Amino acid sequence: MILTIDGPAGSGKSSTARAVARRLGFRHLDSGAFYRALTLAVLEAGLQPETWEGLDGPGLDALDVAGRPGPDGFRLFIGTRDVTDALRDDRVNRHVSSIARVPAVRRWLLDRLRDAGRGVDLVADGRDMGTVVFPDADVKVYLVADPNERARRRLAERGIEQPDRAAIESEAARLQDRDRADSERPVAPLRRAAGAVEIDTTDLTFGAQVEAIVELVRSRRD
Ligand code: CDP
């Protein structure tokens, strides 16, 4: 069975998908981590932004990025180095959408993401899981939330529990810039997939949004 969870930046997709996967005994595929690992590899290789659009299959192979199944979803590697815990770095945040819009990057990852999902029950989260990567998924969810609430959650993840208004607004602006880039790109833009159930998590607790999705999957499975 395949469940896809797509939505804008900071809507809680990855943490929700991880918790839902644990509850259901499914594997979790965080596709954003693959885009982030490629971005980190491009930055570490010192490739200049003006060359990114020209990246091709062999160039991407040479970056030696791979996702390997771990106890909890996938671990991301550059060569033999496990970079999973370095992927939320600010430098990666700033550049990932520019890498993710390159058609050769999306083609390169498409096969790898589909391979990752073969033969297992899967919860896949990202921007185009329900539209492009797994269009035949059994259940599709589209998560949304108010931008300021998304910004508050992102800041809380970084240990800032009582941010002032300016901090919330600047984080919300950064998230919305990324949403704009992801929604306006020509290839696999951020969209709600046909048939996806939209869940607005602005006023939901984390537990409640996990529960809502687990129930949805169970109701479709029975
Ligand atoms: O967790 P957050 O919503 O901040 O982002 P993410 O899921 O880790 O994705 C990071 C970036 O990767 C996004 O802003 C997109 O540019 C790109 N991405 C994508 O293009 N397609 C996907 N399926 C997943 C991520």
Side-chain angles (χ1 to χ4, degrees):
M1 185 163 192
I2 295 185
L3 160 67
T4 60
I5 304 181
D6 290 304
S11 55
K13 299 173 303 290
S14 297
S15 45
T16 307
R18 189 175 312 116
V20 169
R22 272 196 200 131
R23 284 277 301 277
L24 295 170
F26 288 16
R27 185 178 286 288
H28 174 214
L29 176 65
D30 171 1
S31 63
F34 285 68
Y35 284 94
R36 288 172 179 275
L38 263 187
T39 304
L40 183 62
V42 163
L43 295 171
E44 286 185 351
L47 301 180
Q48 295 305 306
E50 56 276 14
T51 68
W52 296 353
E53 282 290 335
L55 280 167
D56 58 7
L60 292 164
D61 287 341
L63 294 171
D64 208 8
V65 169
R68 308 209 174 101
D72 208 18
F74 288 82
R75 306 291 299 180
L76 272 299
F77 288 81
I78 300 177
T80 55
R81 195 158 40 100
D82 185 333
V83 294
T84 316
D85 297 327
L87 299 178
R88 299 220 151 246
D89 199 85
D90 216 37
R91 217 159 56 111
V92 176
N93 281 335
R94 278 203 309 278
H95 298 296
V96 61
S97 293
S98 305
I99 295 292
R101 72 188 299 282
V102 177
V105 165
R106 304 205 72 86
R107 268 197 305 278
W108 194 86
L109 276 180
L110 185 63
D111 296 339
R112 282 157 182 83
L113 293 170
R114 284 190 179 147
D115 280 350
R118 226 174 288 284
V120 289
D121 289 320
L122 193 75
V123 183
D125 78 272
R127 302 292 184 289
D128 61 344
M129 295 296 102
T131 50
V132 175
V133 181
F134 300 111
D136 299 328
D138 305 275
V139 183
K140 299 181 184 182
V141 169
Y142 194 72
L143 277 192
V144 295
D146 171 79
N148 283 351
E149 178 56 26
R150 292 194 267 135
R152 252 183 239 111
R153 292 177 191 166
R154 269 292 139 95
L155 293 168
E157 270 171 18
R158 291 188 211 127
I160 307 166
E161 291 291 345
Q162 307 235 292
D164 58 22
R165 226 169 94 182
I168 293 173
E169 282 172 5
S170 72
E171 182 61 23
R174 273 197 291 274
L175 293 175
Q176 285 174 293
D177 281 347
R178 196 138 59 82
D179 291 347
R180 203 169 306 116
D182 291 339
S183 307
E184 290 175 359
R185 68 178 174 226
V187 187
L190 170 65
R191 291 260 183 292
R192 180 159 84 86
V197 176
E198 181 164 314
I199 302 179
D200 185 334
T201 70
T202 307
D203 298 317
L204 291 181
T205 62
F206 182 70
Q209 76 201 36
V210 170
E211 200 54 46
I213 298 173
V214 167
E215 277 313 308
L216 181 66
V217 173
R218 289 196 171 135
S219 70
R220 296 279 177 91
R221 198 161 49 178
D222 298 338

